[in-house]
Amino acid sequence: MDRSRRNFCLGAGAATVGAATLAAAPADAGAVSASGDAAHRWAMVVDVRKCVGCQACTVACIMENDVPENSFRTIVSTYEVTEQGKAGSYMLPRLCNHCEDPPCIPVCPTGATYQRRDGIVVVDNSVCVGCAYCVQACPYDARFINHETQTADKCTFCVHRVEAGLLPACVETCVGGARIFGDLKDPDSTVSKLVREQNPKVLKPEMGTQPRVFYIGLDPKMQGKVDGTPTLWRPAPHADKEHA
């Protein structure tokens, strides 16, 4: 089955490299629950050994979620590293970690940032006042103020797609199969098996936030690297802005 198909339905039981089976699509696939379903705990595993830094995930996220120019819900940061006298590149895919203990929630003065029962951390834009307290509180540099809406913005695991029985856009478009998404509460899911068997790492474990984005093959030196310059791709400034 072609993983690039936008209508890839996981509820039918199909799975490919980089994919994990989700529940069947609800009757009202267009509806997104504000509270989520506690029967699930969604998570992502990133195999950095398979990431080629193509930024397909970044582009897919921008298109799927209408992310404004020069802002990112997910991105692959590229680092130049030197080992045994040889220079090379290290790819670190990054996004909101949907932590078990999210530090962004208690600092929000309006309750706009909250965690659904399935673990996905979201922002209620109708309540957010754009104070950026959550942006500052996030230890993973995974939030930003959307300059079009003037409210906090971030990865949501493409919650609207998940509730329709689809993969997050970044997972569906990952050409190397480096991103795997699924339900930690399902012991037979690919994500659960990888977490049990591969002993994946998390970013900044010392923060005690219990991230639910896990990394296979993560160099320990990169666990604290949450900011970096994506050197392989960056959206070009709009032409009329350049000449304004």
Side-chain angles (χ1 to χ4, degrees):
M1 180 177 289
D2 184 357
R3 292 182 61 246
S4 66
R5 288 174 54 195
R6 303 290 293 176
N7 64 344
F8 177 59
C9 184
L10 299 174
T16 59
V17 176
T21 304
L22 300 182
D28 184 4
V32 173
S33 169
S35 58
D37 186 350
H40 305 292
R41 204 328 176 177
W42 303 113
M44 187 179 294
V45 173
V46 179
D47 191 337
V48 296
R49 302 169 301 180
K50 297 179 179 179
C51 178
V52 298
C54 67
Q55 301 292 353
C57 54
T58 305
V59 176
C61 176
I62 289 173
M63 299 302 294
E64 179 71 30
N65 297 289
D66 195 23
V67 180
E69 185 178 6
N70 289 323
S71 295
F72 309 95
R73 286 186 171 195
T74 188
I75 195 168
V76 179
S77 292
T78 305
Y79 299 89
E80 182 178 325
V81 296
T82 302
E83 186 172 348
Q84 297 179 348
K86 295 182 179 180
S89 297
Y90 192 92
M91 313 301 175
L92 183 61
R94 292 171 43 215
L95 63 158
C96 172
N97 282 253
H98 296 278
C99 311
E100 282 294 328
D101 186 15
C104 53
I105 292 178
V107 301
C108 179
T110 66
T113 289
Y114 66 96
Q115 188 170 40
R116 295 172 16 131
R117 291 182 297 175
D118 57 12
I120 298 178
V121 178
V122 293
V123 180
D124 183 346
N125 296 111
S126 68
V127 179
C128 179
V129 295
C131 66
Y133 288 167
C134 62
V135 176
Q136 299 174 51
C138 176
Y140 306 104
D141 192 27
R143 285 173 168 258
F144 61 95
I145 296 299
N146 186 311
H147 60 73
E148 294 180 355
T149 65
Q150 297 302 309
T151 58
D153 205 337
K154 58 177 282 298
C155 159
T156 63
F157 275 162
C158 284
V159 63
H160 59 290
R161 292 177 59 85
V162 172
E163 294 211 340
L166 303 173
L167 288 169
C170 64
V171 177
E172 186 174 89
T173 58
C174 180
V175 297
R179 296 186 182 221
I180 304 96
F181 182 81
D183 186 3
L184 284 177
K185 288 191 175 181
D186 176 4
D188 295 322
S189 71
T190 304
V191 161
S192 291
K193 292 178 180 178
L194 289 173
V195 170
R196 284 198 309 268
E197 300 169 4
Q198 296 294 323
N199 188 30
K201 309 300 181 185
V202 297
L203 297 179
K204 290 195 170 183
E206 71 278 2
M207 298 300 297
T209 61
Q210 302 180 65
R212 288 302 175 258
V213 173
F214 303 90
Y215 292 84
I216 296 175
L218 181 66
D219 189 313
K221 296 190 292 293
M222 292 291 166
Q223 285 187 287
K225 294 284 188 180
V226 295
D227 57 349
T229 302
T231 58
L232 297 184
W233 177 86
R234 191 170 183 83
H238 198 279
D240 58 4
K241 291 183 180 179
E242 285 186 322
H243 302 291

